[in-house]
Amino acid sequence: MRISDELRQRATVSFEFFPPKDEIGFWDLYVTIEKLKPLAPSFVSVTWGAGGSTRRKTVELVARIRSDMRIEALAHITCAASSRRDIAAVADDLRARGLENILALRGDPPAGRTAFQSQADGFAHANELVEFLKDRHDFCIGGACHPETHPEASSPDMDLDFLARKVDAGCDYLVSQLFFDNQVFYRFRDRAAARGIHVPIIAGIMPILSVGQIKRFTELCGASIPRELLEKVEAVEDDVDAVRQLGMYHATEQCRDLLDNDAAGIHFYTLNRSTATRAIYQQIKARVDARAAHAAPADP
Ligand code: FAD
């Protein structure tokens, strides 16, 4: 199933996982996925470790989720630590295993490094990777976008110009970096449309489950936490349950509003856990179903 086809039918709901470090982590992840499966996600995705560290695990995991667990799965592929030959081999492997969807990214630098460095015979930016993958196989390709501007971009307009170039290279849809203020997402979507970017934009959502963790994540990716929300969670910082309740409530309200305002889909950054995502999904299910019911009928 191509994600672009799914996006034409309904607001997608998708879950992102990362490849665990060891066997116990894999068993835990399979349990998490089994718990999320009844929610009938449009697709799940598996990240490509920073610095290209999880290449083999990513491919094995997506193939297994798709063939054994019968859930549409896509691999993230990044430019990190990979030559064109390495990427070609991974793309051929994925295609041979019947996978049709890829999320193509530049990648984060490996732990301990601040700047991204491309391989000599590799790709420096995601648009080059998208073009290469599109030429090699008929993949449905997603790309990342950054509603609050990528931290390395020289300006929001330049970032948008490069995003337009990436879409022109062959992105069928975009998945956004996490954000906590929907107005930021709507303004970005309007600016993207004005710049001629008309592919569906899926909203990336991460419920706040720990104050320290979310501060680290937002600092890394350049997302901001609205002051009012930050003050609320900081006020109960030492009470794990209270932080989770606030974080889940905020994420649920975000998802409701996004579905009411035509977001193309919701992509949950699950951190390999299922409880918060399931609880939020129960609250938004009626809206997801309503969006599917109003979608245009499928092509014959
Ligand atoms: P690009 O589109 O290449 O943009 C990166 C920067 O370069 C931007 O500042 C942009 O303005 C600029 N730029 C773009 N094109 C050009 C050009 N042609 N010339 C000059 N400048 C240019 N990271 C991982 O390591 N593994 C993952 O699995 C992973 N999954 C992710 C999933 C999602 C949904 C998102 C939103 C991010 C994910 N990331 C992942 C993080 C991502 O790799 C980083 O945010 C990275 O810093 C940027 O990736 P990009 O694909 O947006 O890069």
Side-chain angles (χ1 to χ4, degrees):
M1 184 269 299
R2 292 172 78 86
I3 288 162
S4 50
D5 291 340
E6 186 77 356
L7 281 160
R8 272 192 280 278
Q9 299 307 313
R10 52 181 58 84
T12 56
V13 175
S14 50
F15 307 135
E16 180 174 306
F17 307 115
F18 59 86
K21 283 201 174 67
D22 53 28
E23 209 172 318
I24 294 176
F26 270 94
W27 286 115
D28 286 346
L29 177 58
Y30 294 138
V31 171
T32 295
I33 300 174
E34 283 297 346
K35 285 183 179 164
L36 290 170
K37 189 176 173 182
L39 310 186
S42 311
F43 64 93
V44 303
S45 79
V46 178
T47 64
W48 185 268
S53 52
T54 65
R55 195 179 303 166
R56 182 63 23 219
K57 285 183 184 176
T58 300
V59 171
E60 296 295 337
L61 192 51
V62 285
R64 172 149 189 206
I65 293 171
R66 188 164 183 273
S67 65
D68 296 0
M69 304 177 101
R70 306 243 164 244
I71 303 172
E72 189 57 48
L74 75 85
H76 298 201
I77 295 187
T78 79
C79 312
S82 298
S83 64
R84 279 159 199 264
R85 222 169 131 175
D86 297 332
I87 301 274
V90 171
D92 295 352
D93 190 7
L94 288 168
R95 202 66 197 96
R97 292 169 189 250
L99 289 139
E100 295 179 280
N101 301 289
I102 284 181
L103 190 62
L105 306 131
R106 186 199 69 178
D108 281 328
R113 297 253 191 92
T114 47
F116 179 83
Q117 201 158 14
S118 59
Q119 187 102 340
D121 178 30
F123 305 103
H125 295 286
N127 65 296
E128 299 164 18
L129 175 62
V130 171
E131 197 173 342
F132 181 81
L133 290 169
K134 208 69 182 185
D135 274 357
R136 193 153 185 102
H137 292 292
D138 182 26
F139 284 120
C140 171
I141 298 184
C145 63
H146 306 270
E148 296 184 72
T149 304
H150 185 264
E152 293 161 40
S154 52
S155 73
D157 284 347
M158 284 297 281
D159 205 26
L160 212 51
D161 284 350
F162 286 128
L163 182 63
R165 197 192 284 190
K166 182 159 70 177
V167 171
D168 289 346
C171 283
D172 297 290
Y173 64 97
L174 297 169
V175 185
S176 88
Q177 189 52 274
L178 59 94
F179 62 90
F180 296 96
D181 177 354
N182 287 0
Q183 295 311 317
V184 166
F185 179 80
Y186 301 142
R187 281 196 293 273
F188 169 77
R189 196 172 57 175
D190 289 348
R191 289 180 50 240
R195 178 64 187 75
I197 296 170
H198 297 300
V199 293
I201 304 181
I202 297 174
I205 294 293
M206 181 183 281
I208 298 177
L209 302 177
S210 143
V211 175
Q213 184 185 60
I214 206 66
K215 280 185 179 168
R216 276 197 308 282
F217 284 156
T218 49
E219 203 171 300
L220 274 174
C221 72
S224 62
I225 309 176
R227 185 207 283 252
E228 200 187 330
L229 175 62
L230 186 59
E231 283 174 357
K232 274 189 196 162
V233 289
E234 278 181 336
V236 294
E237 189 162 357
D238 298 327
D239 181 342
V240 179
D241 288 339
V243 170
R244 286 177 66 88
Q245 287 308 319
L246 279 171
M248 282 162 54
Y249 175 78
H250 183 80
T252 305
E253 291 305 302
Q254 267 194 285
C255 292
R256 283 192 175 129
D257 183 67
L258 285 161
L259 289 165
D260 288 348
N261 284 282
D262 289 327
I266 311 264
H267 184 70
F268 287 98
Y269 296 103
T270 69
L271 301 179
N272 289 6
R273 303 205 196 119
S274 66
T275 311
T277 306
R278 277 191 298 155
I280 295 166
Y281 186 84
Q282 293 310 328
Q283 302 294 322
I284 61 168
K285 185 176 183 315
R287 277 178 168 79
V288 174
D289 293 346
R291 281 278 299 271
H294 286 109
D299 291 337

